[in-house]
Amino acid sequence: MDLARTEVVGKGAVRTRGSAAARLGLMALPVAFFAVFFAYPVAAIVARGLNVDGAWRFGRLWDVLAQPGIRHVLWFTTWQALVSTALTLLIALPGAYVFARFDFPGKQVLRALVTVPFVLPTVVVGTAFLALLGRGGLLQDLWGVRLDTTVWAILLAHVFFNYAVVVRTVGGLWAQLDPRQEEAARMLGASPFRAWRQVTLPALAPAVAAAALMVFLFTFTSFGVVQILGGPGFSTLEVEIYRQTSEIFDLSTAAVLTLVQFAAVGSILAVHAWTVRRRETALRLVDASVTARRPRGAGQRALLAGVLVTVVVLILLPLAVLVQRSLDAPGLAYYEALTREDGGTFLVPPIEAVGNSLEYALAATAIAVLIGGLAAAALTRRDAGRFVRGFDALLMLPLGVSAVTVGFGFLIALDEPPLDLRASWILVPLAQALVGVPFVVRTMLPVLRAVDVRLREAAAVLGASPWRVWREVDLPMVRRALLVAAGFAFAVSLGEFGATVFIARPDNPTLPVAVARLLGRPGDLNYGQAMALSTILMVVCAVALLVLERLRTDRTGEF
């Protein structure tokens, strides 16, 4: 008996060493991808800015940071990101609960619409809120009040933009938590709030932290929203980097600000990785269709009504403004103009941007799911080494580094063999995949780590290969998260603007690039065409996300 036990333990030890080697093998492709298409371009552009006439100007760091205007930018960037994140969590967590636990008519359509704002270019989000809160906007028409060029306009636009991040990331895990654990606490005498605080909230902590991190990084690097709604009194690091690069042509100052942003984001990610990892536990996950039910009682109906009102006012109203502005001209004049070449802004009819965006987004999604899926699988085990745990944090850096820097870095670094990609179509999907990979990892990782490790160990002891363990143990549990991750990657690829604007070819513009170019030209016709393209982008995204919801229902049996 002891000999048999020793043999099993020995096999387990060998298998543990084998699984460690397998994890390193899984990490190889993600590490290579980020080294070549993220670290190298960013390092190239920073080096170009700090190396002047062959001499390194590190003293420039202190010169830039000593400027009062730069210190004000750093302060505003930080506090508005913190407040935006707190407001988003406060407003969106009830929505995450409703979409995870309640079943009601139109739920799939509404969840798809909730995700639409996240893929809209930030310049379009800023323009929509300007139409709502600015001069001649809806708020002024109703109450004679204007909120543009105020911090409230920026904060509300950030909540609008990031609402889906919390609903999708937290709701994806919440829907699979076994409700019987909370019900058991209630039977033992705990109040509903205490049962939620002591049972459900700790289980949701990794997903809540991941969602908060993504929201903070997006608001910390906010560009289009602040540029349009903030006016001259408000500027984030991203806006200042763009101004120093494109308007003042001071590449050294832009490089310093990029390093500051990089250091700040790196510190935040390190703290996040340390605190969240301490809270992770194995959870009991169930089929989401079992947990969703009709709301019961006055309290749950009031909660559902409150979430629906929030969605209508905060999400659907700005989207309706886009549609209304695209129809201001008689008939469909703005849409008809999209089918014609103007010989100025575009080399092709603007409507071709729709097909370009779909092709790029599909390619970017495939890359992001492959790279992000491999990285998430490698990060799943808690006995991973320091290198693997450190890479967990590094995966989020593309969300916190200036997209302007990444775009310029692509042009500077990827212009010589064997990486001469400036004329290749794949350059745009690669840039878009950099933003999609963190969403794939952050969506899949909480669910993968929640799978009871004993299930994997039992399958391994019975002779299953690592691939068979993944296929028969992990995949059935994370299928839903994988589809959600793919949907997120596709959505963010459709709306990526910061890096794409520098590398998209004039004869192959994407929808966000086309919208930004039209908004940058004076005239009602150009503005109307921008609103028409924005509406098309909104519809394309809503249809794609609705298809994803149907696919998830058909193949996974979940709501």
Side-chain angles (χ1 to χ4, degrees):
M1 184 69 178
D2 291 338
L3 290 175
R5 183 175 301 168
T6 301
E7 182 181 359
V8 171
V9 172
K11 288 182 179 180
V14 172
R15 194 170 298 278
T16 298
R17 289 195 294 271
S19 66
R23 281 197 303 275
L24 293 178
L26 291 173
M27 292 295 296
L29 186 58
V31 169
F33 178 80
F34 274 85
V36 174
F37 298 113
F38 177 69
Y40 177 47
V42 171
I45 190 67
V46 171
R48 180 73 64 91
L50 294 180
N51 192 318
V52 181
D53 298 328
W56 291 94
R57 299 179 59 189
F58 292 109
R60 183 66 176 158
L61 287 166
W62 313 115
D63 295 338
V64 171
L65 296 179
Q67 300 174 19
I70 296 299
R71 291 201 300 269
H72 175 75
V73 168
L74 291 173
W75 167 245
F76 175 73
T77 300
T78 303
W79 85 258
Q80 67 82 24
L82 289 171
V83 175
S84 295
T85 303
L87 279 177
T88 303
L89 289 175
L90 180 65
I91 295 174
L93 280 176
Y97 174 78
V98 165
F99 281 102
R101 294 300 200 194
F102 290 171
D103 188 16
F104 53 91
K107 177 179 177 178
Q108 294 178 5
V109 175
L110 192 61
R111 182 162 48 189
L113 291 175
V114 162
T115 312
V116 170
F118 187 72
V119 305
L120 291 177
T122 53
V123 291
V124 177
V125 174
T127 303
F129 272 81
L130 190 65
L132 281 174
L133 309 177
R135 184 176 60 184
L138 181 63
L139 190 64
Q140 188 177 34
D141 291 342
L142 293 177
W143 292 291
V145 178
R146 289 178 55 187
L147 291 180
D148 60 323
T149 68
T150 69
V151 72
W152 281 108
I154 296 173
L155 297 178
L156 289 174
H158 282 163
V159 175
F160 166 84
F161 187 74
N162 293 289
Y163 185 89
V165 175
V166 178
V167 170
R168 290 265 178 176
T169 305
V170 179
L173 180 59
W174 208 335
Q176 292 182 278
L177 292 182
D178 192 342
R180 290 175 295 183
Q181 300 180 59
E182 188 172 326
E183 292 170 357
R186 293 285 306 279
M187 292 180 63
L188 293 174
S191 64
F193 177 75
R194 185 180 179 184
W196 177 83
R197 180 172 57 85
Q198 295 186 349
V199 177
T200 304
L201 184 58
L204 289 174
V208 173
L213 177 66
M214 286 189 283
V215 173
F216 181 85
L217 290 180
F218 273 108
T219 53
F220 189 81
T221 58
S222 183
F223 174 65
V225 168
V226 179
Q227 182 84 342
I228 293 176
L229 296 176
F234 302 104
S235 180
T236 58
L237 271 173
E238 187 82 359
V239 173
E240 190 64 22
I241 291 172
Y242 178 81
R243 190 174 73 90
Q244 295 289 340
T245 303
S246 302
E247 298 178 10
I248 304 178
F249 305 107
D250 187 350
L251 196 57
S252 64
T253 298
V256 169
L257 296 179
T258 297
L259 288 176
V260 171
Q261 191 176 50
F262 191 86
V265 171
S267 301
I268 295 165
L269 293 176
V271 173
H272 166 81
W274 181 75
T275 56
V276 172
R277 195 170 185 82
R278 290 167 60 91
R279 297 181 181 179
E280 288 174 346
T281 56
L283 306 177
R284 182 182 298 172
L285 302 182
V286 297
D287 191 326
S289 62
V290 177
T291 65
R293 53 180 172 76
R294 295 283 183 174
R296 302 171 184 172
Q300 292 188 355
R301 294 191 186 94
L303 177 61
L304 175 60
V307 169
L308 294 179
V309 170
T310 300
V311 169
V312 169
V313 174
L314 182 65
I315 306 297
L316 300 186
L317 186 58
L319 297 179
V321 170
L322 291 180
V323 178
Q324 185 269 327
R325 291 298 176 93
S326 72
L327 298 173
D328 272 350
L332 299 174
Y334 292 148
Y335 290 91
E336 292 175 358
L338 295 176
T339 62
R340 301 192 296 266
E341 296 184 29
D342 62 0
T345 304
F346 303 99
L347 300 179
V348 295
I351 195 65
E352 292 191 12
V354 177
N356 296 335
S357 287
L358 291 175
E359 292 175 1
Y360 288 144
L362 287 172
T365 300
I367 297 171
V369 169
L370 173 62
I371 300 298
L374 290 174
L379 294 168
T380 299
R381 295 294 294 271
R382 293 177 176 78
D383 57 349
R386 292 182 179 179
F387 172 75
V388 177
R389 292 197 299 269
F391 193 68
D392 185 6
L394 293 177
L395 287 170
M396 297 297 291
L397 282 178
L399 299 183
V401 172
S402 168
V404 175
T405 301
V406 174
F408 272 130
F410 266 48
L411 294 180
I412 291 174
L414 305 179
D415 64 340
E416 296 179 358
L419 291 174
D420 187 4
L421 300 177
R422 287 196 299 178
S424 174
W425 69 272
I426 197 64
L427 200 60
V428 173
L430 287 172
Q432 294 174 344
L434 279 174
V435 182
V437 167
F439 284 93
V440 175
V441 175
R442 293 268 73 85
T443 302
M444 294 185 62
L445 203 54
V447 179
L448 276 171
R449 285 179 172 166
V451 177
D452 194 336
V453 68
R454 291 172 297 182
L455 297 175
R456 300 190 186 102
E457 293 173 349
V461 169
L462 291 174
S465 64
W467 163 248
R468 188 175 180 184
V469 171
W470 160 257
R471 179 167 54 88
E472 297 189 7
V473 176
D474 292 83
L475 185 58
M477 302 292 288
V478 302
R479 215 166 18 186
R480 181 178 187 273
L482 182 62
L483 288 172
V484 172
F488 254 135
F490 182 80
V492 298
S493 298
L494 275 179
E496 204 287 321
F497 171 71
T500 306
V501 70
F502 295 103
I503 57 180
R505 295 169 54 180
D507 57 341
N508 286 289
T510 63
L511 276 169
V513 172
V515 170
R517 289 178 182 173
L518 288 168
L519 286 174
R521 297 183 66 185
D524 292 339
L525 179 60
N526 290 313
Y527 181 81
Q529 288 184 84
M531 293 300 100
L533 271 182
S534 299
T535 301
I536 292 174
L537 176 58
M538 177 184 68
V539 172
V540 168
C541 174
V543 171
L545 294 172
L546 187 58
V547 169
L548 176 66
E549 295 292 336
R550 296 289 186 184
L551 178 67
R552 188 169 63 183
T553 301
D554 293 341
R555 295 193 176 183
T556 67
E558 297 173 356
F559 65 95

